[in-house]
Amino acid sequence: MSPEFESVIGLEVHAQLLTKTKAFCGCSTSFGARPNTNVCPVCLGLPGSLPVLNREAVRLAVRIGLALGCTIQEKSIFARKNYFYPDLPKGYQISQYDAPLCTEGHLDIAAPGAEPRKVGIVRVHMEEDAGKNVHGMGGDSIVDLNRAGTPLVEIVGAPDLRSSAEAAEYLRRLREILMVLGVNDGNLEEGSFRCDANVSIRPEGTSALGTRCEIKNVNSFRFVERAIDFEVRRQIALVSAGKSVEQETLRWDEASGKTYPLRSKEEAHDYRYFPEPDLPPLLVERSFISEQQSSLEELPAARRGRFVAELGLTPYAASVLTGHPRIADFFEGVARLAGDPVKAANFIQTEVLRDVTLAGLQATFPVTSEQLAELLQLAAEKTISGKQAKDVYAKIVGTSKSPRDVVAESGLAQLSDAVELEAICRRVVESNPKQAAGYRGGKTALLGFFVGQVMKETRGSANPALVNEILVRLLAHS
Ligand SMILES: [Zn+2]
């Protein structure tokens, strides 16, 4: 980034709401159905059909607004956004324009190496999705209208972001909030969470906004960062060469690492917005809003804070374990049952996470929280050593076996018999006279060598605290 310019970035996110049926008809929103099977006269835009607003979609949109600290408008208006596109059967999209449902909120971000900041949310409005053009189906191109009419929110962020890293952080935090609310599955590949980035540059220290370009539908956070970086460099090069930036809509091509023009950017007046005559104004009662506010889920930032302040986790562990709402739930379940949150957090991070499969809002765990809690208890009561806990874990993965049964069956149990351990320790010290002399000569770090030898002898089953104690005593006198 050239020092004379700063980049100004605002993101618009389209998020599909997880309702069972579409925004204005009763058709199913399930993904992956045969093309054009989840359609009806309303979402096909047939003459004479009338839309009926989905109450659940409003509820989810209100919860998003509340989570982002927005004001929920008791009266908002649906509008027609007119444009022609093959996947838009009505010739317009029902959206909200000058009277959106949610206004003026914010999102807290903390990009790596930058100060934590509040980023403005201009508005959150409701709208419906278009269908999809599918190319190459048996050599043909088809229009699949299964997605047409699916409820969306558009979350419009203020142009407060100053780097691609901040943009990626904003998206991660926003996606995390929507997933915790359970209103969106955060799936970028299937397009249920889509991002457009408005990018402009301006001379450092000025406040007027430069001409912006909009990069459409980038489907990974890493690509968003790369697309913004490319676009900022492109605009700086243009301006530095005495040319001006044209307002355009661009697409990002990951293969070439470049943005390409799609079309010249349209202005709001190109869409001839007008109030949707088939829908009355949307009225949301105060009592409904406060009901949603009081039943709002604990948000990720608050959960991270609680994991640190109340459960004693490091900020890093708290952020790893809140990376997905189901992982956070799993951790809390284990911590509650096992009674030691820090040990639970460590074991989950080092052993369990690599075996967890995530799919949207769902997560599949290799063991249940009950199994893991029992395992951690066996270690805490010193029936098995830390090393043995890992072995037992490997044996219960993917099964419904009880760790206690596995320990009993395999004859595993921590060696805590002081007499037996002392005999082993003595043997180890006697067969390594050189190291013993070294230790007694002041090289106390050699204690680790002896502990290692005892562990090897006992195949990791010795109680390490007891071994330490015995060895220190044996090595104290020759
Ligand atoms: Zn329909």
Side-chain angles (χ1 to χ4, degrees), residues 300-377:
R303 202 171 199 185
R304 274 192 291 278
R306 186 166 57 80
F307 282 4
V308 172
E310 291 176 22
L311 304 182
L313 266 52
T314 62
Y316 176 76
S319 115
V320 170
L321 293 172
T322 51
H324 190 282
R326 295 295 86 73
I327 291 175
D329 296 342
F330 179 81
F331 157 70
E332 284 210 74
V334 176
R336 196 169 43 242
L337 293 168
D340 189 335
V342 173
K343 285 233 164 67
N346 288 342
F347 200 91
I348 291 172
Q349 287 179 91
T350 55
E351 301 299 317
V352 182
L353 282 186
R354 63 165 176 264
D355 300 325
V356 176
T357 321
L358 299 175
L361 283 181
Q362 310 301 321
T364 314
F365 291 90
V367 293
T368 65
S369 48
E370 287 78 12
Q371 283 174 302
L372 188 56
E374 190 176 302
L375 179 64
L376 293 173
Q377 271 162 353

Coordinates of all heavy atoms in Angstrom, one line a residue, residues 300-377:
P300 N -20.7 -14.4 20.2 CA -19.4 -15.0 20.3 C -18.4 -14.2 21.2 O -17.6 -14.8 21.9 CB -18.9 -15.1 18.9 CG -20.2 -15.0 18.1 CD -21.2 -14.3 18.8
A301 N -18.4 -12.9 21.0 CA -17.5 -12.1 21.8 C -17.7 -12.2 23.3 O -16.8 -12.4 24.1 CB -17.6 -10.6 21.4
A302 N -19.0 -12.3 23.7 CA -19.3 -12.4 25.1 C -18.9 -13.8 25.6 O -18.4 -14.0 26.7 CB -20.8 -12.2 25.3
R303 N -19.1 -14.8 24.7 CA -18.8 -16.2 25.1 C -17.2 -16.3 25.3 O -16.8 -16.9 26.2 CB -19.3 -17.2 24.0 CG -19.4 -18.6 24.5 CD -20.1 -19.5 23.5 NE -20.7 -20.7 24.2 CZ -21.2 -21.7 23.6 NH1 -21.4 -21.6 22.3 NH2 -21.7 -22.7 24.2
R304 N -16.5 -15.7 24.4 CA -15.0 -15.8 24.5 C -14.6 -15.1 25.8 O -13.8 -15.6 26.5 CB -14.4 -15.0 23.3 CG -14.2 -15.8 22.1 CD -13.2 -15.1 21.1 NE -13.9 -13.9 20.5 CZ -14.7 -14.0 19.5 NH1 -15.0 -15.2 18.9 NH2 -15.3 -12.9 19.0
G305 N -15.2 -14.0 26.1 CA -14.9 -13.2 27.3 C -15.2 -14.1 28.6 O -14.4 -14.1 29.5
R306 N -16.3 -14.8 28.5 CA -16.7 -15.6 29.7 C -15.7 -16.8 29.8 O -15.3 -17.2 30.9 CB -18.1 -16.2 29.5 CG -18.7 -16.9 30.7 CD -20.2 -17.1 30.5 NE -20.6 -17.8 29.3 CZ -20.5 -19.1 29.1 NH1 -20.1 -19.9 30.0 NH2 -20.9 -19.6 27.9
F307 N -15.3 -17.4 28.7 CA -14.4 -18.6 28.7 C -13.1 -18.1 29.4 O -12.4 -18.9 30.1 CB -14.1 -19.1 27.3 CG -15.2 -20.0 26.8 CD1 -16.4 -20.2 27.5 CD2 -15.1 -20.6 25.5 CE1 -17.4 -20.9 27.0 CE2 -16.1 -21.4 25.0 CZ -17.2 -21.6 25.7
V308 N -12.7 -16.9 29.1 CA -11.4 -16.4 29.7 C -11.6 -16.0 31.2 O -10.9 -16.5 32.1 CB -10.9 -15.2 28.9 CG1 -9.7 -14.5 29.7 CG2 -10.5 -15.6 27.5
A309 N -12.6 -15.2 31.5 CA -12.8 -14.7 32.8 C -13.3 -15.7 33.8 O -12.9 -15.8 34.9 CB -13.8 -13.5 32.8
E310 N -14.2 -16.6 33.4 CA -14.9 -17.5 34.3 C -14.3 -18.9 34.3 O -14.2 -19.6 35.3 CB -16.4 -17.6 34.1 CG -17.1 -16.3 34.5 CD -18.6 -16.3 34.2 OE1 -19.1 -17.4 34.0 OE2 -19.1 -15.2 34.0
L311 N -13.8 -19.3 33.1 CA -13.3 -20.7 33.0 C -11.8 -20.8 33.0 O -11.2 -21.9 33.0 CB -13.9 -21.4 31.8 CG -15.5 -21.4 31.7 CD1 -15.9 -22.2 30.5 CD2 -16.0 -22.0 33.0
G312 N -11.1 -19.6 32.9 CA -9.7 -19.6 33.1 C -8.9 -19.9 31.8 O -7.7 -20.3 31.8
L313 N -9.6 -19.9 30.6 CA -8.9 -20.2 29.4 C -8.0 -19.0 28.9 O -8.3 -17.9 29.3 CB -9.9 -20.5 28.3 CG -10.3 -22.0 28.1 CD1 -10.7 -22.6 29.4 CD2 -11.5 -22.1 27.1
T314 N -7.0 -19.3 28.1 CA -6.3 -18.2 27.5 C -7.1 -17.7 26.4 O -8.0 -18.4 25.8 CB -5.0 -18.8 26.8 OG1 -5.3 -19.7 25.8 CG2 -4.1 -19.5 27.8
P315 N -6.9 -16.4 26.0 CA -7.7 -15.8 24.9 C -7.6 -16.6 23.6 O -8.5 -16.8 22.9 CB -7.1 -14.4 24.7 CG -6.5 -14.1 26.0 CD -6.0 -15.4 26.6
Y316 N -6.4 -17.2 23.4 CA -6.2 -18.0 22.2 C -7.1 -19.3 22.2 O -7.9 -19.6 21.3 CB -4.8 -18.5 22.0 CG -4.6 -19.4 20.9 CD1 -4.6 -18.9 19.6 CD2 -4.4 -20.8 21.0 CE1 -4.4 -19.7 18.5 CE2 -4.3 -21.6 20.0 CZ -4.3 -21.1 18.7 OH -4.1 -21.9 17.6
A317 N -7.1 -20.0 23.4 CA -7.9 -21.2 23.5 C -9.4 -20.8 23.4 O -10.2 -21.5 22.7 CB -7.7 -21.9 24.8
A318 N -9.8 -19.7 24.0 CA -11.2 -19.3 23.9 C -11.6 -19.0 22.5 O -12.7 -19.3 22.0 CB -11.4 -18.0 24.8
S319 N -10.7 -18.4 21.7 CA -11.0 -18.1 20.3 C -11.1 -19.4 19.5 O -12.0 -19.5 18.6 CB -10.1 -17.0 19.8 OG -9.3 -17.5 18.7
V320 N -10.2 -20.3 19.7 CA -10.3 -21.6 19.0 C -11.6 -22.3 19.3 O -12.3 -22.8 18.4 CB -9.1 -22.5 19.3 CG1 -9.3 -23.9 18.8 CG2 -7.7 -21.9 18.8
L321 N -11.9 -22.4 20.6 CA -13.1 -23.2 21.0 C -14.4 -22.5 20.6 O -15.5 -23.1 20.7 CB -13.0 -23.5 22.4 CG -11.8 -24.5 22.8 CD1 -11.7 -24.6 24.3 CD2 -12.0 -25.8 22.1
T322 N -14.4 -21.2 20.3 CA -15.6 -20.5 19.9 C -15.7 -20.4 18.4 O -16.5 -19.7 17.8 CB -15.8 -19.1 20.5 OG1 -14.6 -18.4 20.3 CG2 -16.1 -19.2 22.0
G323 N -14.7 -21.1 17.7 CA -14.7 -21.0 16.2 C -15.9 -21.5 15.6 O -16.2 -21.2 14.4
H324 N -16.6 -22.4 16.2 CA -17.9 -22.9 15.7 C -18.8 -23.1 16.9 O -18.4 -23.6 17.9 CB -17.6 -24.3 15.0 CG -18.8 -24.7 14.2 ND1 -19.9 -25.4 14.8 CD2 -19.1 -24.7 12.9 CE1 -20.8 -25.7 13.9 NE2 -20.4 -25.3 12.7
P325 N -20.1 -22.7 16.8 CA -21.0 -22.8 18.0 C -21.1 -24.2 18.6 O -21.2 -24.4 19.8 CB -22.3 -22.3 17.5 CG -22.2 -22.1 16.0 CD -20.8 -22.1 15.6
R326 N -21.1 -25.3 17.7 CA -21.2 -26.6 18.3 C -19.9 -27.0 19.0 O -20.0 -27.8 20.0 CB -21.5 -27.6 17.1 CG -22.8 -27.4 16.4 CD -24.0 -27.7 17.2 NE -24.4 -26.5 17.9 CZ -25.0 -25.4 17.4 NH1 -25.2 -25.4 16.1 NH2 -25.3 -24.3 18.1
I327 N -18.8 -26.6 18.6 CA -17.5 -26.9 19.3 C -17.6 -26.2 20.7 O -17.2 -26.8 21.7 CB -16.3 -26.4 18.5 CG1 -16.2 -27.3 17.2 CG2 -15.0 -26.5 19.3 CD1 -15.1 -26.9 16.3
A328 N -18.0 -25.0 20.7 CA -18.1 -24.3 22.0 C -19.1 -25.0 22.9 O -18.8 -25.2 24.1 CB -18.6 -22.8 21.8
D329 N -20.2 -25.5 22.4 CA -21.2 -26.2 23.2 C -20.6 -27.5 23.7 O -20.7 -27.9 24.9 CB -22.4 -26.6 22.4 CG -23.2 -25.4 21.9 OD1 -23.0 -24.3 22.4 OD2 -24.0 -25.6 20.9
F330 N -19.8 -28.2 22.8 CA -19.2 -29.5 23.2 C -18.2 -29.2 24.3 O -18.2 -29.9 25.4 CB -18.5 -30.1 22.0 CG -17.7 -31.4 22.2 CD1 -18.4 -32.6 22.3 CD2 -16.4 -31.4 22.5 CE1 -17.8 -33.8 22.5 CE2 -15.7 -32.6 22.7 CZ -16.4 -33.8 22.7
F331 N -17.4 -28.2 24.2 CA -16.4 -27.9 25.2 C -17.1 -27.6 26.5 O -16.7 -28.1 27.6 CB -15.5 -26.7 24.8 CG -14.9 -26.0 26.0 CD1 -13.9 -26.6 26.7 CD2 -15.3 -24.7 26.3 CE1 -13.4 -26.0 27.8 CE2 -14.8 -24.1 27.5 CZ -13.8 -24.7 28.2
E332 N -18.1 -26.8 26.5 CA -18.8 -26.4 27.7 C -19.4 -27.7 28.4 O -19.4 -27.8 29.6 CB -19.9 -25.4 27.5 CG -19.3 -24.0 27.3 CD -20.2 -22.9 27.8 OE1 -20.3 -22.7 29.0 OE2 -20.8 -22.2 26.9
G333 N -19.9 -28.6 27.6 CA -20.5 -29.8 28.1 C -19.4 -30.6 28.9 O -19.6 -31.1 30.0
V334 N -18.3 -30.8 28.2 CA -17.2 -31.6 28.8 C -16.7 -30.9 30.1 O -16.5 -31.5 31.1 CB -16.0 -31.8 27.8 CG1 -14.9 -32.5 28.4 CG2 -16.5 -32.5 26.5
A335 N -16.5 -29.6 30.0 CA -15.9 -28.8 31.1 C -16.9 -29.0 32.3 O -16.4 -29.1 33.5 CB -15.8 -27.4 30.8
R336 N -18.2 -28.9 32.1 CA -19.1 -29.0 33.2 C -19.1 -30.4 33.8 O -19.0 -30.5 35.0 CB -20.5 -28.7 32.6 CG -21.6 -28.3 33.7 CD -22.8 -27.8 33.1 NE -23.3 -28.5 31.9 CZ -23.4 -28.0 30.7 NH1 -23.1 -26.7 30.5 NH2 -23.8 -28.7 29.7
L337 N -19.1 -31.4 33.0 CA -19.1 -32.8 33.5 C -17.8 -33.2 34.2 O -17.8 -33.9 35.2 CB -19.4 -33.8 32.4 CG -20.8 -33.7 31.7 CD1 -20.9 -34.5 30.4 CD2 -21.8 -34.2 32.7
A338 N -16.7 -32.7 33.6 CA -15.4 -33.1 34.1 C -14.9 -32.2 35.2 O -14.0 -32.6 36.0 CB -14.3 -33.2 33.0
G339 N -15.4 -31.0 35.3 CA -15.1 -30.1 36.4 C -13.7 -29.4 36.2 O -13.3 -28.7 37.1
D340 N -13.1 -29.6 35.1 CA -11.8 -28.9 34.9 C -11.7 -28.3 33.5 O -11.2 -28.9 32.6 CB -10.6 -29.8 35.2 CG -9.3 -29.1 35.2 OD1 -9.2 -28.0 34.7 OD2 -8.3 -29.6 35.9
P341 N -12.2 -27.0 33.4 CA -12.3 -26.4 32.0 C -11.0 -26.3 31.3 O -10.9 -26.6 30.1 CB -12.8 -25.0 32.3 CG -13.5 -25.1 33.7 CD -12.7 -26.1 34.4
V342 N -9.9 -26.0 32.0 CA -8.6 -25.8 31.4 C -8.1 -27.2 30.8 O -7.7 -27.2 29.6 CB -7.5 -25.2 32.3 CG1 -6.2 -25.2 31.7 CG2 -8.0 -23.8 32.7
K343 N -8.2 -28.2 31.6 CA -7.8 -29.6 31.1 C -8.7 -30.0 29.9 O -8.2 -30.5 28.9 CB -7.9 -30.6 32.2 CG -6.7 -30.5 33.2 CD -6.0 -31.8 33.4 CE -4.7 -31.7 34.1 NZ -4.8 -31.2 35.5
A344 N -10.0 -29.7 30.0 CA -10.9 -30.1 29.0 C -10.5 -29.3 27.7 O -10.4 -29.9 26.6 CB -12.3 -29.8 29.4
A345 N -10.2 -28.0 27.8 CA -9.8 -27.2 26.7 C -8.6 -27.7 26.0 O -8.5 -27.9 24.8 CB -9.7 -25.8 27.1
N346 N -7.6 -28.1 26.8 CA -6.3 -28.6 26.3 C -6.5 -29.9 25.5 O -6.0 -30.0 24.4 CB -5.3 -28.8 27.4 CG -4.8 -27.5 28.0 OD1 -4.9 -26.4 27.3 ND2 -4.2 -27.6 29.2
F347 N -7.2 -30.8 26.1 CA -7.4 -32.1 25.5 C -8.2 -32.0 24.2 O -7.9 -32.6 23.2 CB -8.1 -33.1 26.5 CG -7.9 -34.5 26.1 CD1 -6.8 -35.2 26.6 CD2 -8.8 -35.2 25.2 CE1 -6.6 -36.6 26.2 CE2 -8.6 -36.5 24.8 CZ -7.5 -37.2 25.3
I348 N -9.2 -31.1 24.2 CA -10.0 -31.0 23.0 C -9.2 -30.4 21.9 O -9.2 -30.8 20.7 CB -11.3 -30.1 23.3 CG1 -12.3 -30.9 24.2 CG2 -12.0 -29.7 22.0 CD1 -13.4 -30.0 24.7
Q349 N -8.4 -29.4 22.2 CA -7.5 -28.7 21.2 C -6.5 -29.7 20.7 O -6.3 -29.7 19.5 CB -6.8 -27.5 21.8 CG -7.8 -26.3 22.0 CD -7.0 -25.1 22.6 OE1 -6.5 -24.3 21.9 NE2 -7.0 -25.1 23.9
T350 N -5.8 -30.4 21.5 CA -4.7 -31.3 21.0 C -5.2 -32.6 20.4 O -4.5 -33.1 19.5 CB -3.7 -31.6 22.1 OG1 -4.4 -32.2 23.2 CG2 -3.0 -30.3 22.6
E351 N -6.3 -33.2 20.9 CA -6.7 -34.5 20.5 C -8.0 -34.5 19.6 O -8.1 -35.2 18.7 CB -6.8 -35.4 21.7 CG -5.6 -35.6 22.5 CD -4.4 -36.2 21.7 OE1 -4.6 -37.1 20.9 OE2 -3.3 -35.6 21.9
V352 N -9.0 -33.8 20.1 CA -10.3 -34.0 19.6 C -10.6 -33.2 18.3 O -11.1 -33.8 17.3 CB -11.4 -33.6 20.6 CG1 -12.8 -33.9 20.1 CG2 -11.2 -34.4 21.9
L353 N -10.1 -32.0 18.2 CA -10.5 -31.1 17.1 C -10.1 -31.7 15.7 O -10.9 -31.5 14.8 CB -9.9 -29.7 17.3 CG -10.6 -28.8 18.3 CD1 -10.0 -27.4 18.2 CD2 -12.1 -28.7 18.0
R354 N -9.0 -32.4 15.6 CA -8.6 -32.9 14.3 C -9.6 -33.9 13.8 O -9.6 -34.2 12.6 CB -7.2 -33.4 14.3 CG -7.0 -34.6 15.3 CD -5.7 -35.3 15.0 NE -5.5 -36.4 16.0 CZ -4.8 -36.3 17.1 NH1 -4.2 -35.2 17.4 NH2 -4.8 -37.3 18.0
D355 N -10.4 -34.5 14.7 CA -11.3 -35.5 14.2 C -12.8 -35.0 14.1 O -13.7 -35.8 13.9 CB -11.4 -36.7 15.3 CG -10.0 -37.3 15.4 OD1 -9.3 -37.4 14.4 OD2 -9.7 -37.8 16.5
V356 N -12.9 -33.7 14.3 CA -14.3 -33.1 14.2 C -14.6 -32.7 12.7 O -13.8 -32.2 12.0 CB -14.4 -31.8 15.1 CG1 -15.8 -31.2 14.9 CG2 -14.2 -32.2 16.5
T357 N -15.8 -33.1 12.3 CA -16.2 -32.8 10.9 C -17.3 -31.7 11.0 O -18.3 -31.9 11.7 CB -16.8 -34.0 10.2 OG1 -16.1 -35.2 10.6 CG2 -16.8 -33.9 8.7
L358 N -17.1 -30.6 10.3 CA -18.0 -29.5 10.3 C -18.8 -29.5 9.0 O -18.2 -29.7 7.9 CB -17.3 -28.2 10.5 CG -16.5 -28.0 11.8 CD1 -15.8 -26.7 11.8 CD2 -17.5 -28.1 13.0
A359 N -20.1 -29.3 9.0 CA -20.9 -29.1 7.8 C -22.0 -28.0 8.1 O -23.0 -28.3 8.8 CB -21.5 -30.4 7.4
G360 N -21.7 -26.8 7.7 CA -22.6 -25.7 8.0 C -22.8 -25.6 9.5 O -21.7 -25.5 10.2
L361 N -24.0 -25.6 10.0 CA -24.2 -25.4 11.5 C -24.0 -26.7 12.2 O -24.0 -26.7 13.4 CB -25.6 -24.9 11.7 CG -25.9 -23.4 11.5 CD1 -27.3 -23.1 11.8 CD2 -24.9 -22.6 12.3
Q362 N -23.8 -27.8 11.5 CA -23.7 -29.1 12.2 C -22.2 -29.5 12.4 O -21.4 -29.1 11.6 CB -24.3 -30.3 11.3 CG -25.7 -30.0 10.8 CD -26.7 -29.8 11.9 OE1 -26.6 -30.4 13.0 NE2 -27.6 -28.8 11.8
A363 N -22.0 -30.3 13.4 CA -20.6 -30.8 13.7 C -20.8 -32.2 14.2 O -21.7 -32.5 14.9 CB -19.9 -29.9 14.8
T364 N -19.9 -33.1 13.7 CA -19.8 -34.4 14.1 C -18.6 -34.7 15.0 O -17.5 -34.3 14.5 CB -19.8 -35.4 12.9 OG1 -20.8 -34.9 12.0 CG2 -20.1 -36.8 13.3
F365 N -18.8 -35.2 16.2 CA -17.7 -35.3 17.1 C -17.3 -36.8 17.2 O -18.1 -37.7 17.1 CB -18.0 -34.8 18.5 CG -18.2 -33.3 18.5 CD1 -19.4 -32.7 18.3 CD2 -17.1 -32.5 18.7 CE1 -19.5 -31.3 18.3 CE2 -17.2 -31.1 18.7 CZ -18.4 -30.5 18.5
P366 N -16.0 -37.1 17.4 CA -15.5 -38.5 17.4 C -15.9 -39.2 18.7 O -16.0 -40.4 18.7 CB -13.9 -38.3 17.4 CG -13.7 -36.9 17.9 CD -14.8 -36.1 17.5
V367 N -16.2 -38.4 19.8 CA -16.6 -39.0 21.0 C -17.7 -38.1 21.6 O -17.9 -37.0 21.1 CB -15.5 -39.1 22.1 CG1 -14.5 -40.1 21.6 CG2 -14.9 -37.8 22.3
T368 N -18.5 -38.6 22.6 CA -19.5 -37.7 23.2 C -18.8 -36.9 24.3 O -17.8 -37.3 24.8 CB -20.7 -38.5 23.8 OG1 -20.1 -39.3 24.8 CG2 -21.3 -39.4 22.7
S369 N -19.5 -35.9 24.7 CA -19.0 -35.1 25.9 C -18.9 -36.0 27.1 O -18.0 -35.8 27.9 CB -19.8 -33.8 26.1 OG -21.1 -34.1 26.1
E370 N -19.9 -36.9 27.3 CA -19.8 -37.8 28.5 C -18.6 -38.7 28.5 O -17.9 -38.8 29.5 CB -21.1 -38.7 28.5 CG -22.4 -37.9 28.9 CD -23.0 -37.2 27.7 OE1 -22.5 -37.4 26.5 OE2 -23.9 -36.3 27.9
Q371 N -18.3 -39.3 27.3 CA -17.1 -40.1 27.2 C -15.9 -39.3 27.5 O -15.0 -39.8 28.3 CB -17.0 -40.7 25.8 CG -17.9 -41.8 25.4 CD -17.8 -42.2 24.0 OE1 -18.0 -41.4 23.1 NE2 -17.4 -43.5 23.7
L372 N -15.7 -38.1 26.9 CA -14.5 -37.4 27.1 C -14.4 -36.9 28.6 O -13.3 -37.0 29.2 CB -14.5 -36.2 26.2 CG -13.2 -35.4 26.2 CD1 -12.0 -36.3 25.9 CD2 -13.2 -34.3 25.2
A373 N -15.5 -36.6 29.2 CA -15.5 -36.1 30.6 C -15.0 -37.3 31.5 O -14.2 -37.1 32.4 CB -16.9 -35.6 31.0
E374 N -15.5 -38.5 31.2 CA -15.1 -39.7 32.0 C -13.6 -39.9 31.9 O -12.9 -40.2 32.8 CB -15.9 -40.9 31.5 CG -15.8 -42.1 32.4 CD -16.7 -43.2 32.0 OE1 -17.9 -43.0 31.9 OE2 -16.1 -44.3 31.7
L375 N -13.1 -39.8 30.6 CA -11.7 -40.0 30.4 C -10.9 -39.0 31.2 O -9.9 -39.3 31.8 CB -11.5 -39.8 28.9 CG -10.0 -40.0 28.4 CD1 -9.5 -41.4 28.7 CD2 -9.9 -39.7 26.9
L376 N -11.3 -37.7 31.2 CA -10.5 -36.7 31.9 C -10.6 -36.9 33.4 O -9.6 -36.6 34.1 CB -11.1 -35.3 31.5 CG -10.8 -34.9 30.1 CD1 -11.5 -33.6 29.8 CD2 -9.4 -34.8 29.7
Q377 N -11.7 -37.5 33.8 CA -11.8 -37.8 35.3 C -10.9 -38.9 35.7 O -10.2 -38.9 36.7 CB -13.2 -38.2 35.6 CG -14.1 -36.9 36.0 CD -15.6 -37.2 36.0 OE1 -16.0 -38.3 35.5 NE2 -16.3 -36.2 36.4

